[in-house]
Every structure is written in structure tokens, then in C-alpha cells.
Amino acid sequence: MHTEHRHSRRAFLRGTGGLMTASAVMGMGTASAAGAAAGAAEEQALIGEIAETHYYLTEVRLENGFEREGEYITATRTALHTLEIRDGRIQAILGEGAALAPDVPRYSAGGKLALPAFRDMHIHLDKTFYGGPWQAPLPRQGKTIMDMIAREEILLPKLLPSSQQRAEALIDLLLSQGTTVARSHCNIDPVSGLKSLEHLQLALERHRDRFECEIVAFPQHGLLHSKVDGLMREAMAMGVQFVGGLDPTNVDGAMEQSLDAMFQIALDHDKAVDIHLHETGPAGVAAINYMVETVERTPQLKDRLNLSHAFALGTLPEAELDALAERMTAQGVTVISTVPIGALTMPLPRLREKGVTLMTGTDSVIDHWSPFGTGDMLEKANLCAQLYGGRDEFGLTRAMAIATGDVLPLDDAGERAWPTPGDAAEFALAEASCSAEAVARRSARSATFHKGRLVFGNVSRA
């Protein structure tokens, strides 16, 4: 990342100061010394923190519209603007040359493109190898989910002592990629009890001014199988926002009983539900239908059911999928997909056409389930573009919606939809000419802003 480059360069300049002085005395390397001095001055102008709550951010690249050739969109128009940020919100958007109040501090985005802040809505911050030495997961070939649960029972005691520190390292990684909002599943199991939750809450408290995160109490070892109903209810009392669940047939062995127990906890504690559903066979379809039916007859659950993964939707014929999707839309059921690649492709475009709210997340970031997580939500947008035909300028810009909570700089007609005065000052600065390029190239992010605060990277003082 660019931050690392600047740090190493600054250290190099400090470490070689004596050498450059000696060269100058000998009449050698004068131009190099002058160049280094200019570089040092440039480094001093970079700001890693903005103390003021009212300031201007100048030279911000914003998208203004689409370029067309006949019926085709061929490019995205952008221009430099100044954002006036006050008390965590964008107070005004000014064009180049606009008069700025002389007493308000100014910082420069340096022409970088502003993108809406990303939302990682399915991640496990509580159990990760990230922040420690490299460790690949053990082979999974032939291993069932119950085998993986047994393996986790051995692993968790080793992870718990450092789980808070690793969660904080992972939060820093997300911020470096432009993510400021997340939903983290947190193990509630007989091995860790409530310790994983306690450690995660401590990590989030330390970063509360930089990062927002909802927590799902996740019975990773099965709600019924591991007998954690009481622990789940204790977690609700500790401020957790969501009741989690897991494969009610394959893990708990009793689909209706497991789902009823999950919903009962949610109803008793006035919480929403976010369930992991990996089952792809008839059991998975039956579970989705049962959950939708439960919401249909329980008004308190409307708009409060989230299906994470929901792979069974990818096995349905189109007519059956459409009918189920329409019922899900009517009840406000959300699908949170990690955009899997391989034998199963999720029908995300069809679900969206039918009005189902879609979200995504990075899920595992280097843990015993998978070594491939990067924490980069642009990667998910890029995958959507590749899988679902978003190769052209317009398609690439639309693909980003799944990573931002449907916030896009331009609407379908090419009118600016974001940012607008009054919006929260939540954005990333990317080294890209437009959002289509950012999605296609997964462009580097140089700074992240959360509620008007610079929470990652650098900007220069204007």
C-alpha cells in the first residue's frame, strides 16, 4: 500500500541524512541532496490526521455524467470539486474556482477519485489468522462441516488469547481498503463461551470513532447441537444486534426445531436474524421456504431476516426462483452473498430484478476455512462484474452497488446521485479516473474517511 511506501521512504531519508551531508561537503551529489530535501518537504506536507471538524477537502474527483456514442455509454465524465465537511457531513459541494472561506482549514485530495465508503456485511473478525504468522488451513478434501467444527474446537483456545489484537489488525486492513461499516459474525460456542464476543467488543470499542460494526451471535457449532440457547440469550443482553444460525439440517439435524429456536430468541429479544445457510440440496430449499413462511405469519420478523450464502437459491429453476424471490421481497428478506466462484453461481442479477436486497462481504480473511480473503470489497464488485457480464462502462459502474449498500455516484440515467449536501462524509479516495476503472482494476485506495474523520492514509495540506 502507499502508506507503507511513504513510511519506508521517510525512514530511508532519516537513515541516510549523514551520508547526504558528507556528499555535499565533498562537492558530490548536490542535486541529489536538493531532490531529497524537496522529497522530505513533500512528505512533511502529507497529513495522516485531520483534527478539525470543519474543513475543505479540495481537488476531489467526482463523477458528473456518462459519455455516449449513440445508444452506448462509452465513458464517465468527472471533474474536480471541493467538499466542505462539517461535523461529519458534507455541507457543500463546490466547483473549481469557488470562493472558500479564508479561516477554514484546507486539505487536498490531489485529484483522487471519491468512492462511497464500502460495507463488508459478512465477515468473521473474531477468529482469524490475520495479524499473526502465515498459516494455511489444513486440507479440507472429504471433510464435512462437522469435521470442521471438531477442528475448530481444538483451534479456538489457541486463537482466543490474541483474538482482540487480530480483530484490530483486521479492522485496520478493512479501513485501508475503504470499508468503514461491517457486520461481523462472532462465535457463541461451548469452547469459547462468551470470550470471543467480549474480545470483539473490546476491539470495536477501541475503534468506535473510526469504524462501525454490527455483531451477529453465531452458533458456529450448531444452535441445538452445541446446546448454546442460554449463551445466545446472554449475548443478546450484551448488545448483540443479530441472532445467527447455521445449517439446521446438516448440523442440528432438525430443521424446524432449529429454525424455531433461532426465531424465538430473536422475538424474545427484539432482534433481527442473520443465518448461515450452506445447504444446497432439497434441505436448503426447504429451510428457505420455512423461514419465509415463518416471516409471512409473524409480522414482527418482517424486514428482519437475512440469508447469508443461501446457496440453495442457485439450484432452483427460474420459475421457482422467481416465485420465491417475490415472496422474499414482499417480506423484506435480504440475501448476503460472498459471490462464490466455481461449480455454483448465485442468481444475484435475477434476485435483484425481483427486488431482493443484496449485500456482500469478504467472509473469511485468512483463517482455518480459507486463505484467500483480502478484505477488499472492490474485489467483490469486480467478481460480480466478471460473473454477470459487467464488462462495459455502464455495467462496471453498476457492479459496485453490492459493495456500497446500493450507493452509486451516478444513477442509471447518468445523473449524480452521490455525494449530495447533507450526506455523511463517508468515502474512500482511489487512484482511478472513474468508478468503472476502480471496479475493473481494483484501484488502490489512498485514504478513507469516516464521519468526516481521516481514518486511513494521507492527504496533503492545501
Side-chain angles (χ1 to χ4, degrees), residues 249-411:
T249 300
N250 289 350
V251 175
D252 276 342
M255 186 262 283
E256 293 187 8
Q257 185 183 353
S258 177
L259 295 177
D260 285 347
M262 176 187 71
F263 281 126
Q264 194 60 56
I265 296 171
L267 290 168
D268 290 347
H269 294 270
D270 192 25
K271 304 291 185 180
V273 168
D274 190 333
I275 179 173
H276 283 62
L277 191 64
H278 308 96
E279 297 164 349
T280 56
V285 177
I288 295 173
N289 274 300
Y290 186 82
M291 285 188 279
V292 174
E293 290 167 4
T294 301
V295 177
E296 288 171 334
R297 65 174 181 264
T298 314
Q300 303 96 304
L301 293 171
K302 185 175 182 180
D303 300 321
R304 306 189 88 180
L305 174 60
N306 300 264
L307 305 178
S308 284
H309 304 304
F311 295 141
L313 293 172
T315 69
L316 293 176
E318 187 172 285
E320 190 175 345
L321 175 67
D322 286 353
L324 181 53
E326 288 170 3
R327 293 170 58 209
M328 291 166 60
T329 298
Q331 299 305 320
V333 178
T334 295
V335 171
I336 307 173
S337 175
T338 57
V339 196
I341 55 176
L344 178 70
T345 300
M346 287 293 291
L348 300 184
R350 192 67 179 176
L351 291 171
R352 185 178 286 280
E353 285 176 21
K354 292 298 178 180
V356 176
T357 298
L358 301 178
M359 298 178 182
T360 190
T362 53
D363 199 1
S364 301
V365 178
I366 311 176
D367 62 10
H368 63 294
W369 296 90
S370 170
F372 298 117
T374 63
D376 185 1
M377 295 303 293
L378 266 184
E379 179 181 56
K380 298 301 179 180
N382 178 285
L383 280 174
C384 279
Q386 293 192 61
L387 285 172
Y388 305 116
R391 294 174 179 272
D392 58 278
E393 184 84 3
F394 182 74
L396 288 165
T397 67
R398 302 305 92 181
M400 195 171 64
I402 199 169
T404 62
D406 291 333
V407 178
L408 292 175
L410 300 177
D411 63 20

Side-chain angles (χ1 to χ4, degrees), residues 140-171:
R140 284 187 61 182
Q141 186 174 0
K143 299 295 182 183
T144 68
I145 191 168
M146 301 309 295
D147 294 328
M148 293 298 291
I149 288 171
R151 180 178 294 174
E152 188 170 287
E153 289 173 344
I154 297 171
L155 180 65
L156 282 173
K158 301 176 183 178
L159 291 177
L160 269 175
S162 61
S163 66
Q164 178 184 339
Q165 292 75 20
R166 290 174 186 245
E168 292 187 38
L170 197 44
I171 290 169

